[in-house]
C-alpha cells in the first residue's frame, strides 16, 4: 500500500509540475484527486488493513492529497503568471530599440564597370551616344562594309527578324547613325547590348554589352599613334597605371589597317599566369583606322576624313577586372555572386 502511494506521489507531482496550461492541470486534478482517482481506490482498501496500518496509510494518503492540492494551486499561479508575461512580452514596444536596417542594394557589376569605362572616356573628351537595339540590315551590316554575301558576315551570325531587321550584332551601327547627323571632328563612345547567334559557354553568350569608340577628324590629323595613346590611356584607367598595350594586325571589314589589341595581364603583370594562359597578355578587342567606305556610306567625300575605331565587350573587361571565369554568372541573378561587388 505504502509503495503504491509513493508511486502515485512521484508520478503526480512530476506531471503537475510539467503542466503548461490550465486545461491540462484540470485533467490532472481529476486524474489524481477525483472520485475515480487511484488514490481514492487505495483509500477504499484501507478498511481491510490492521488498525495500525490503517492509521499510517490513511495519514499518508491524506498528506499526499494535501500536497497534490497545494502543488496544483501553485502551478495554477505559475501558469497564469507565465501566460500574462507572454502577452506582455509579445505586446511590448520598446521605443528605444534601434530600427531594423533595410539592406541597401547596389548597381550590377556590369553597370559599375560600364560607368567606370564611360568616365574614363569622358575624361578624354568622348561623348557617350545611345542607339537602337534592333537595327536594319543597312546600319548593322551594309554601311559597315559588310554587304550581303560578304564572308565577314559569318563572323557575326545573328537572329534575323521577319521584317529583315536584326537585334544588332555590334554597336558600330550607332556610329553610322551618328555620322549621318554630325560632321567631324567627333569623339564618341557607343555602349549597349548586342546579340549574336552563339552557344552559351563560359566566355560566350548570345547577348553581351559592347563598347565602341570612334574618333574622326580631317585627313592627316588622326593617326594610329592617336589610337594607341587613347587605348593605352583607357587600359591604364581601367586596370592600373602599369598596364601596357600591344597591337597585332587583324582584319575587320570596317577598318584598314585593322588590329587586335591586348593588355598586359593585370594579375601577373605580364609574367604569365593562369588568367592569361601563361602568355602575359590578354586579348581585349578589335580596332583599326576607319575604312573610307564607311565614310562614303554616310555621305562624306572620300579621303576628306580619317579616324580610328575600336570595340570590346564590357563583360570581358569586368571578368578580367574581378577575376570572374564564367560570363553567364552576370545574367544568372544569383545574389551570392552579385553581392560580392
Ligand atoms: N564591331 C567589331 C566587332 O564586334 C569590333 C571592332 C570595332 C573592330 C571597331 C574594329 C574596330 O567585332
Amino acid at each position: 500500500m505504502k509503495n503504491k502511494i509513493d508511486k502515485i506521489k512521484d508520478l503526480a507531482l512530476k506531471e503537475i509540475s510539467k503542466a503548461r496550461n490550465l486545461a491540462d492541470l484540470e485533467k490532472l486534478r481529476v486524474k489524481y484527486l477525483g472520485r475515480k482517482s487511484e488514490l481514492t481506490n487505495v483509500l477504499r482498501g484501507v478498511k481491510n488493513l490492521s488498525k495500525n496500518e490503517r492509521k499510517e496509510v490513511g495519514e499518508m494518503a491524506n498528506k499526499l492529497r494535501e500536497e497534490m492540492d497545494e502543488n496544483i494551486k501553485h502551478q495554477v499561479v505559475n501558469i497564469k503568471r507565465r501566460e500574462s508575461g507572454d502577452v506582455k512580452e509579445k505586446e511590448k514596444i520598446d521605443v528605444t530599440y534601434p530600427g531594423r536596417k533595410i539592406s541597401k542594394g547596389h548597381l550590377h557589376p556590369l553597370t559599375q564597370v560600364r560607368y567606370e569605362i564611360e568616365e574614363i572616356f569622358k575624361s578624354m573628351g568622348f561623348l557617350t551616344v545611345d542607339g537602337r537595339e534592333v537595327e536594319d540590315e543597312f546600319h548593322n551590316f551594309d554601311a559597315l562594309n559588310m554587304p550581303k554575301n560578304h564572308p565577314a558576315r559569318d563572323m557575326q551570325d545573328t537572329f534575323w527578324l521577319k521584317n529583315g531587321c536584326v537585334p544588332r550584332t555590334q554597336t558600330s551601327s550607332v556610329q553610322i547613325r551618328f555620322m549621318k547627323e554630325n560632321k567631324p571632328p567627333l569623339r564618341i563612345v557607343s555602349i549597349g547590348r548586342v546579340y549574336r547567334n552563339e552557344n552559351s559557354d563560359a566566355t560566350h553568350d548570345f547577348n553581351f554589352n559592347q563598347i565602341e569608340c570612334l574618333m574622326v577628324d580631317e585627313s592627316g590629323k588622326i593617326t594610329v599613334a592617336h589610337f594607341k595613346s587613347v587605348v593605352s590611356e583607357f587600359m591604364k584607367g581601367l586596370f592600373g597605371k602599369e598596364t601596357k598595350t600591344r597591337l597585332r594586325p587583324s582584319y575587320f571589314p570596317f577598318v584598314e589597317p585593322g588590329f587586335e589589341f591586348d593588355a598586359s595581364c593585370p594579375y601577373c603583370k605580364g609574367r604569365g599566369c593562369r588568367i592569361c594562359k601563361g602568355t602575359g597578355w590578354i586579348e581585349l578587342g578589335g580596332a583599326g583606322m576607319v575604312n573610307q567606305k564607311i565614310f562614303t556610306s554616310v555621305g562624306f567625300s572620300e579621303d576628306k576624313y580619317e579616324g580610328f575605331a575600336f570595340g570590346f565587350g564590357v563583360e570581358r573587361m569586368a571578368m578580367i577586372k574581378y577575376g570572374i571565369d564564367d560570363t553567364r554568372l552576370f545574367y544568372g541573378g544569383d545574389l551570392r555572386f552579385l553581392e560580392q561587388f
Side-chain angles (χ1 to χ4, degrees), residues 127-140:
L127 179 74
T128 303
V129 291
D130 224 354
R132 359 186 133 180
E133 274 193 34
V134 175
E135 266 300 359
D136 55 44
E137 195 173 352
F138 174 78
H139 289 90
N140 194 85

Side-chain angles (χ1 to χ4, degrees), residues 212-223:
E212 289 216 2
C213 171
L214 175 73
M215 182 166 180
V216 182
D217 208 333
E218 283 166 17
S219 278
K221 285 196 176 165
I222 308 267
T223 68

Side-chain angles (χ1 to χ4, degrees), residues 9 57-69:
K9 178 175 166 174
V57 172
E59 268 173 15
M60 237 180 118
N62 278 330
K63 235 176 103 195
L64 176 57
R65 189 186 281 278
E66 271 167 33
E67 199 175 347
M68 290 195 295
D69 199 43

Side-chain angles (χ1 to χ4, degrees), residues 158-177:
T158 187
F159 308 100
W160 288 92
L161 305 182
K162 284 199 180 114
N163 63 3
C165 290
V166 291
R168 67 178 172 201
T169 61
Q170 48 189 349
T171 48
S172 323
S173 52
V174 181
Q175 305 174 344
I176 299 296
R177 288 190 181 276

Side-chain angles (χ1 to χ4, degrees), residues 40-133:
T40 311
N41 248 343
V42 170
L43 287 172
R44 274 197 197 114
V46 165
K47 57 180 186 292
N48 303 326
L49 298 173
S50 67
K51 203 174 169 196
N52 277 348
E53 270 184 322
R54 215 184 290 169
K55 193 173 171 231
E56 211 181 328
V57 172
E59 268 173 15
M60 237 180 118
N62 278 330
K63 235 176 103 195
L64 176 57
R65 189 186 281 278
E66 271 167 33
E67 199 175 347
M68 290 195 295
D69 199 43
E70 271 303 297
N71 280 19
I72 287 175
K73 279 183 191 146
H74 199 74
Q75 192 65 354
V76 167
V77 176
N78 275 346
I79 289 173
K80 281 190 174 162
R81 192 181 290 155
R82 211 195 45 243
E83 281 180 352
S84 72
D86 280 354
V87 173
K88 269 195 218 147
E89 197 54 43
K90 269 189 221 141
E91 296 184 354
K92 191 166 81 178
I93 296 174
D94 179 355
V95 291
T96 65
Y97 197 77
R100 209 175 287 161
K101 239 192 182 163
I102 299 171
S103 63
K104 235 188 178 175
H106 60 68
L107 294 174
H108 190 278
L110 285 180
T111 312
Q112 291 181 35
V113 173
R114 174 192 165 145
Y115 284 176
E116 212 177 310
I117 292 171
E118 277 182 352
E119 264 323 296
I120 299 171
F121 280 114
K122 203 161 106 188
S123 75
M124 293 191 277
F126 283 80
L127 179 74
T128 303
V129 291
D130 224 354
R132 359 186 133 180
E133 274 193 34

Side-chain angles (χ1 to χ4, degrees), residues 201-217:
D201 64 25
T203 52
H204 297 86
D205 213 342
F206 58 86
N207 90 96
F208 63 97
N209 286 274
Q210 193 176 54
I211 301 208
E212 289 216 2
C213 171
L214 175 73
M215 182 166 180
V216 182
D217 208 333

